[in-house]
Amino acid sequence: GARLAWRDAFARSAPLALEVREPPLEGRPAEFSGAVGRFAFEGSKPTPDRVRVGDAIYLTFVVSGRGFLKGVDLDLQARLGDRFRVERVGITDSLAPGAERPPGFPDRAGLWRQWDFKVYPQATDCSAIPPVGFAWYDPEARHYYFIGKDNIVFHTLFWPAILMGYDEDLVLPYD
């Protein structure tokens, strides 16, 4: 079979007149934040996966594909609510075609946007980050799409409190 490969090419031309239309309101998911094109969405495993209430869990989410991502956001705090405190560590965008990759920059091809977060569980019964997803509009298909990641499971350590409630004479180890 034939193999297809994408390749970015740039050329100069006379000015073009374009009509830019906003994606339709009908069928727009609540998670839509302006991405237009075709995309994939991935999320990292929590690091670390065992924490105490108030400890940070590091998460990374990446959207990649073909289309428009400039200014697109992932509002994790709004999606997680008050059971978690969310701190956005950074947003990294793919380099312009032909740009030199600086040391330490993600080695990822194509168009992408990466969000890095610290997430702090606020209760001992928090054991998973609820599903997080990304929505976009595909103008060729004239359809909204949504990709979600399942619960991101971690363990909140709280056993000393249970043991202390069980028997005051128990001697607990220190970290």
Side-chain angles (χ1 to χ4, degrees):
R3 280 183 65 146
L4 298 176
W6 286 101
R7 189 174 93 192
D8 290 323
F10 296 91
R12 295 196 187 275
S13 73
L16 299 173
L18 298 175
E19 179 186 350
V20 179
R21 289 184 260 157
E22 182 177 344
L25 294 174
E26 184 178 332
R28 183 179 288 182
E31 296 83 2
F32 179 71
S33 67
V36 176
R38 291 186 176 173
F39 299 101
F41 180 67
E42 61 186 88
S44 68
K45 292 182 178 181
T47 305
D49 65 352
R50 295 179 188 281
V51 296
R52 292 186 191 89
V53 171
D55 286 352
I57 298 170
Y58 294 85
L59 294 173
T60 297
F61 296 97
V62 178
V63 172
S64 59
R66 302 186 76 66
F68 177 81
L69 284 174
K70 186 173 183 166
V72 170
D73 198 13
L74 182 62
D75 187 353
L76 196 57
Q77 184 67 69
R79 296 182 189 187
L80 299 184
D82 61 1
R83 295 180 52 73
F84 297 89
R85 184 172 61 83
V86 177
E87 177 184 329
R88 179 174 296 162
V89 176
I91 298 174
T92 307
D93 289 312
S94 54
L95 297 171
E100 188 173 326
R101 185 169 59 91
F105 196 82
D107 188 12
R108 186 179 291 121
L111 174 72
W112 52 268
R113 181 165 246 215
Q114 173 178 307
W115 293 268
D116 296 300
F117 295 97
K118 288 183 188 177
V119 178
Y120 302 85
Q122 300 297 297
T124 56
D125 62 343
C126 291
S127 60
I129 293 169
V132 174
F134 185 78
W136 72 91
Y137 181 72
D138 183 338
E140 291 179 26
R142 295 184 178 168
H143 186 75
Y144 284 99
Y145 291 93
F146 176 83
I147 294 180
K149 293 294 166 197
D150 291 336
N151 287 343
I152 300 169
V153 179
F154 61 92
H155 303 282
T156 305
L157 305 175
F158 62 94
W159 62 269
I162 292 175
L163 291 175
M164 288 171 48
Y166 177 76
D167 186 346
E168 291 179 6
D169 294 330
L170 289 173
V171 176
L172 301 177
Y174 290 96
D175 289 335

